[in-house]
Amino acid sequence: MQITYSEFAGRVKGSEIRELLKYTRKEGIISFAGGLPDPSLFPLDDITRITKEVLNEKGLLALQYGPTPGEPEMIDALVEHMANFDEKATTDQICVTSSSQQGLDLISLVMVDKDSEIIMELPSYIGAIQAFERAGAKMNGIRLLDDGMDLDQLEEVLKDKANKKIKVRFIYTIPDYQNPSGIVMSLAKRKKLIEIASRWEVPIVEDSPYREITFNGVTFPSLWTLSNGEGVIQLKTFSKMLFPGMRLGWITAQKEIIEKLALMKQSVDLCSPSFNQLIIARFIREGRMKETIKQAIALYIKKNASMLNSLAEFMPEYVKWSKPTGGMFLWLTFPEFIDAKEMLKIAAANNVVYVIGKPFHCNGTGQNTLRLNYSFPSIPQIEMGIQSLAQTAKEFCEIKKSI
Ligand SMILES: Cc1ncc(COP(=O)(O)O)c(C=O)c1O
């Protein structure tokens, strides 16, 4: 039978990264490719105990369908979690999601039509690019500088779109320890961005999975907080600060926007799992979330330092990298003539893999960039892997020069 697929389905392209996964299957390979938390941090004992308690005390509720915006207990716990990290929200400003990727999906469904124009950082999170691409959005990339997106370029783009009578649907940004670059948006830029967005009447979508994972104790207020919730939709997830397996996250936004998103969510999955929500709510209420995040920070500080030290020791001087103060990634930039995709074959032969940078660029640039993850590999793997990567860079440069 000939099946006619939707336009939507046609827009979902296989990611280049998936094709490169074949290299990671090799025995003994060190992978800096994923965005996975260190599983040694997963609080197995607590989750086992709480799961039993939830089943014993609230089993009938836990195994039932729940309200689309989330279990009231979970929403209360989210308000508490946010308060622990200096953020305020009321219960009607929250919608629980099946992690942030669903948040991105809901945003696409509610705010993007085919050919709608949106703005994002260059580079930006590949999963967001995929979701927006599927919705048919036209993506405008804004240069990312060391302290966040280039706001002069943003103004130019907004002006140009306004002149052409194009209504930009939203500005998508990851202000805290950005994926893929690890960059943090400065406080001054956060304020300016809110001012610009409000002046041009463009909402901001703030995606912030890494905000809690801060190494130096310095966290700037979120865009949600700085804007008093005016014109900002914030996406959050437990995937990075806790674990991804329960697929839980949440959206914070003005009540009317939350209602719209929740209505759409109803058509997507009715509700996020009640069972998971009740477990995580109790975990937060017991203060265990804060503890787990503290442990994650302590471990990732060491891993991040190990990667930075190894890069400084072994990488040739023509390679540049970001020096993140939180999150899970750092970002490498090679001379223009280096194609990170081509180099990956040599890297894999040298037993190390990474994620190429190009698919993180909505305009198809960035072939000389790559992302490294330090949260998942062990410290000995980081040290060995960076040595192999440095060796790879030198070998690849020699090959390129000799051509
Ligand atoms: C910036 C950003 N947003 C969203 C996600 C999606 O994560 P999840 O769906 O597991 O919450 C990720 C995952 O890597 C991410 O880095």
Side-chain angles (χ1 to χ4, degrees), residues 121-136:
E121 285 142 359
L122 206 57
S124 186
Y125 169 53
I126 194 162
I129 295 178
Q130 260 186 333
F132 301 149
E133 199 161 63
R134 184 208 51 198

Side-chain angles (χ1 to χ4, degrees), residues 195-251:
E195 185 270 307
I196 294 172
S198 132
R199 183 154 39 82
W200 291 95
E201 296 197 335
V202 179
I204 299 173
V205 176
E206 173 182 39
D207 190 3
S208 187
Y210 306 97
R211 181 166 183 268
E212 287 83 350
I213 308 171
T214 173
F215 301 155
N216 54 9
V218 182
T219 317
F220 297 131
S222 65
L223 299 171
W224 163 258
T225 297
L226 286 170
S227 66
N228 288 317
E230 188 67 39
V232 174
I233 302 168
Q234 190 193 50
L235 308 184
K236 294 288 298 176
T237 174
F238 289 116
S239 292
K240 311 296 176 170
M241 64 178 116
L242 183 61
F243 48 69
M246 282 198 174
R247 309 305 296 136
L248 279 184
W250 71 104
I251 306 179

Side-chain angles (χ1 to χ4, degrees), residues 278-389:
L278 293 175
I279 293 167
I280 297 300
R282 193 170 286 216
F283 190 74
I284 295 170
R285 279 281 150 91
E286 287 184 358
R288 293 292 297 122
M289 185 70 75
K290 275 200 296 193
E291 281 308 308
T292 309
I293 292 170
K294 258 193 212 159
Q295 286 162 11
I297 290 172
L299 181 59
Y300 295 160
I301 283 177
K302 289 189 200 143
K303 291 187 167 194
N304 167 279
S306 157
M307 190 169 268
L308 285 173
N309 290 340
S310 297
L311 284 166
E313 189 173 345
F314 299 111
M315 262 309 156
E317 80 291 346
Y318 48 79
V319 184
K320 307 286 172 236
W321 55 89
S322 59
K323 298 184 178 63
T325 52
M328 295 183 167
F329 305 109
L330 56 80
W331 184 244
L332 266 61
T333 307
F334 286 76
E336 288 285 338
F337 67 93
I338 297 287
D339 183 333
K341 186 174 171 184
E342 237 185 284
M343 189 170 75
L344 191 58
K345 289 181 200 115
I346 299 178
N350 287 336
N351 282 330
V352 63
V353 285
Y354 51 79
V355 177
I356 56 170
K358 193 173 159 199
F360 294 89
H361 293 72
C362 64
N363 65 354
T365 59
Q367 48 77 33
N368 59 326
T369 58
L370 60 90
R371 188 193 74 179
L372 298 180
N373 164 267
Y374 51 79
S375 57
F376 188 72
S378 66
I379 289 180
Q381 283 176 328
I382 291 175
E383 288 166 354
M384 257 167 48
I386 295 296
Q387 282 191 53
S388 299
L389 188 58

Side-chain angles (χ1 to χ4, degrees), residues 24-89:
T24 66
R25 300 269 156 75
K26 207 175 124 192
E27 184 92 14
I29 202 133
I30 296 173
S31 176
F32 296 136
L36 281 61
D38 187 321
S40 72
L41 294 163
F42 297 169
L44 281 178
D45 291 345
D46 279 321
I47 296 296
T48 308
R49 171 183 55 79
I50 294 175
T51 301
K52 282 188 190 146
E53 287 171 8
V54 166
L55 280 175
N56 284 337
E57 295 167 29
K58 303 187 171 193
L60 298 184
L61 188 72
L63 301 182
Q64 193 53 279
Y65 288 115
T68 304
E71 284 296 332
E73 226 176 281
M74 176 63 167
I75 293 180
D76 288 343
L78 290 173
V79 171
E80 183 178 321
H81 173 85
M82 289 179 75
N84 286 336
F85 291 88
D86 305 320
E87 299 210 83
K88 255 203 280 190

